[in-house]
Amino acid sequence: MSRFTRSRRSPHPDGATGREQPLTDDTATETDAASSDPAAAPPGADHRDPGDPRDSEEPSAGGRDGGPRSGRVAGGVRRLRAARGVGRAVDVLAFVLVAGALVLPNRLADLRPAGFARLPVEAILGAAVLIVLPRRPRTVVAAVAGLGLGALTVLNLLDLGFEEFLGRGFNLVLDWTLLGDAHAYLKDSAGPTGATAALVAAVVLVLAVLVLTAHAVVRLAGVLARHGSAATRSTLALGTAWVLCTATGVQVAGVPVAAEHTAASVQDRVQRVRATLRDEAAFAKVARQDAFGDTPPDRLLTGLRGKDVMITFIESYGRSAIEDPATAPGVDATLAAATERLDRAGYAAKSGWLTSATYGGSSWLGHSTFLTGLWIDSQQRYRTVTAGDHLTLTGAFRKTGAWRTVGIMPGVQKAWPEAKFYGLDHVYDSRDLGYRGPKFSWSTMPDQYTLTAFERLEHGRKHDKPLMSEIILTSSHQPWAPIPKTIPQDRVGDGSVYEDIQRAGRKPADVFYDSAEVKREYGKSVQYSVNSLVDHLARYGGKDTVLVFLGDHQPMARVSGADASRDVPCTIVAHDPEVLKKIADWGWTDGLRPAHDAPVWNMSSFRDRFLTAYGSTPSS
């Protein structure tokens, strides 16, 4: 035992006064020796037999300086320190997770470092509440708050995803059905295995976010309880700092430091839900009103009688294809060359801009907006209008009795009851077009084949009346890989010739996640679709053919840009000059490429303008 001096109550008469006497070195040695006696050792001490093998260990491994007991104590201390270190690390991770969730933006433009360098008022108020609560209520409140924060985080992530693809946030009332469409898209693009893996990953991510945020808030509540005084002082200090930052408008890189993002996000979602419910009732009234609904058939489309009319949508053919520096050179050159080809064949064209009701996807919203003359920017509006009898542009052709109306829908892969609403006498979906070749990612068949099948099944046959056809071209659908190639017309056949072309094409993963490559491939896909359509018109069109073609929406934000408009080009092509004379007052540009300053109309205005130009004014 090392030398030291300690005090004890003395039994000597001198100690009667209660004074403590110093313990000398001798007495300390005696005490130390007594403590080494096994009989005098405290309970639980390490008693050893004389023959215990551990007694033969080297001094460095035994005794007071390095014996097994000392080693076990040291190991326990190390483990305790490691456990404390892990605990502190978990506390830090919990804080980072909760703080990040509280300031996580739901807009791509705000997803930058400065957006996370903020002081959320919800954290301050939440800490104040948790500090004063007893243990059990504190745990319950923390768990519920954590689950709510996790759910809001999931919704914010959905907002970011929807903005990336559709240019808008997630609608809590209407958009759940689109998640099924997203899974179907992945199944078509990445195959059943890839789609299943993505679905499992999404479910795991959602569950992980909910569980981890709940656990993180509960853990932080425990930290606050263990350090009550310090937590109270820190909360008051942070609250004061938040008020000062709010009053003085302190910012970091243009972002206010004082944040109330979570509360604002909840309020915004509540307002969106209310607006959606109000819009449903208001739109139902609008859809029942139709300026051309009572127009007699003999006054509809009189300026196009005897014409074969093709209304063609090109998937994702947006303004960015024509004006973005990454895609414009190739697309503009294609439009210029196509204009020259049509001119040699005796056709002329005029082009303008329409603002689509959708962006990046949900093509059926663009189709229905164009054909009904109503602004249909949600699934609820689509269901409302298609359940009624509002007159569509295609339905107007059928109403006259002067046209046979058909739909060529290679993207439709199951029953499509809306055909009746659109006034189509017959619809050819992907199962009816006779294609025996491979899919090109989501697109069920190349556009050249779609148009060839249209010629074989309808346009090339004799009819007792002209043909009005609605045609959907899908080769320019994302992910823009692989892209078909134009082949000699006599080689198209049943489409099996495309097997080698599809195998030789690029893989979606090699294109879709590269911002530069995906733009280039998008531009090439638009060139392919335009060339397929113009080649078909030049080969099979006649003097009575009128072609109306347009994009349904802009491509996703990764291609068109975060601040891109929703404008798409729209073109009318005709052999008969009288057809284009009727729209001379529209101010559209000659040729297939609309000028930058050409008129821009809402897509919903086209139906009425078209019916007025080629028929009568509205009946009202």
Side-chain angles (χ1 to χ4, degrees), residues 348-619:
K350 286 187 176 294
S351 301
W353 301 108
L354 300 178
T355 301
S356 178
T358 186
Y359 174 94
S362 301
S363 300
W364 58 93
L365 302 182
H367 301 168
S368 56
T369 296
F370 181 81
L371 296 173
T372 63
L374 297 171
W375 189 255
I376 303 176
D377 58 352
S378 70
Q379 189 64 18
Q380 181 59 45
R381 286 192 167 203
Y382 180 79
R383 287 196 295 262
T384 298
V385 71
T386 54
D389 57 359
H390 193 88
L391 182 68
T392 64
L393 185 56
T394 48
F397 281 93
R398 185 170 188 258
K399 184 178 179 179
T400 67
W403 280 272
R404 170 173 166 78
T405 59
V406 300
I408 309 297
M409 310 287 180
V412 175
Q413 303 177 54
K414 56 186 178 181
W416 189 54
E418 291 93 324
K420 182 178 179 181
F421 166 75
Y422 283 111
L424 298 174
D425 293 319
H426 188 80
V427 171
Y428 297 89
D429 64 24
S430 60
R431 300 163 297 180
D432 304 319
L433 295 173
Y435 184 63
R436 298 294 180 266
K439 294 179 68 174
F440 283 76
S441 189
W442 180 87
S443 181
T444 56
M445 63 193 69
D447 292 344
Q448 185 182 6
Y449 180 88
T450 298
L451 293 164
T452 300
F454 166 62
E455 180 65 25
R456 182 184 73 249
L457 295 171
E458 281 289 345
H459 187 261
R461 293 185 173 184
K462 290 184 178 181
H463 298 288
D464 57 358
K465 60 178 68 172
L467 189 65
M468 193 295 303
S469 52
E470 180 190 354
I471 303 172
I472 313 296
L473 300 182
T474 61
S475 290
S476 50
H477 194 288
Q478 64 190 34
W480 303 295
I483 301 172
K485 296 182 182 299
T486 302
I487 61 176
Q489 191 63 35
D490 58 3
R491 292 187 56 206
V492 173
D494 64 358
S496 56
V497 69
Y498 289 103
E499 290 282 358
D500 292 338
I501 296 174
Q502 191 262 4
R503 282 195 296 266
R506 304 187 67 176
K507 301 294 186 290
D510 297 335
V511 170
F512 194 67
Y513 302 105
D514 186 315
S515 58
E517 282 297 307
V518 73
K519 282 193 173 189
R520 282 193 288 267
E521 297 304 302
Y522 161 70
K524 291 177 182 178
S525 72
V526 170
Q527 294 177 55
Y528 169 78
S529 294
V530 170
N531 277 325
S532 296
L533 181 59
V534 171
D535 287 347
H536 175 85
L537 180 61
R539 178 184 293 269
Y540 297 111
K543 293 182 178 181
D544 289 326
T545 302
V546 175
L547 169 65
V548 180
F549 76 95
L550 69 153
D552 46 18
H553 54 71
Q554 282 264 52
M556 59 180 287
R558 184 190 299 272
V559 174
S560 61
D563 299 321
S565 71
R566 296 193 174 200
D567 298 345
V568 299
C570 182
T571 300
I572 298 179
V573 183
H575 198 286
D576 183 355
E578 292 298 320
V579 172
L580 296 184
K581 282 183 181 179
K582 293 183 181 298
I583 62 168
D585 60 344
W586 286 9
W588 282 20
T589 308
D590 290 336
L592 301 185
R593 185 193 185 283
H596 178 76
D597 58 352
V600 181
W601 305 334
N602 277 346
M603 189 177 279
S604 56
S605 70
F606 184 85
R607 187 205 71 158
D608 288 9
R609 289 178 181 269
F610 190 85
L611 291 177
T612 299
Y614 295 107
S616 66
T617 56
S619 55

Side-chain angles (χ1 to χ4, degrees), residues 212-231:
L212 289 176
T213 50
H215 179 73
V217 176
V218 170
R219 188 174 184 91
L220 292 179
V223 174
L224 293 173
R226 290 196 301 272
H227 306 282
S229 298

Side-chain angles (χ1 to χ4, degrees), residues 100 254 280 295 323:
E280 181 178 352
T295 302
E323 296 188 346

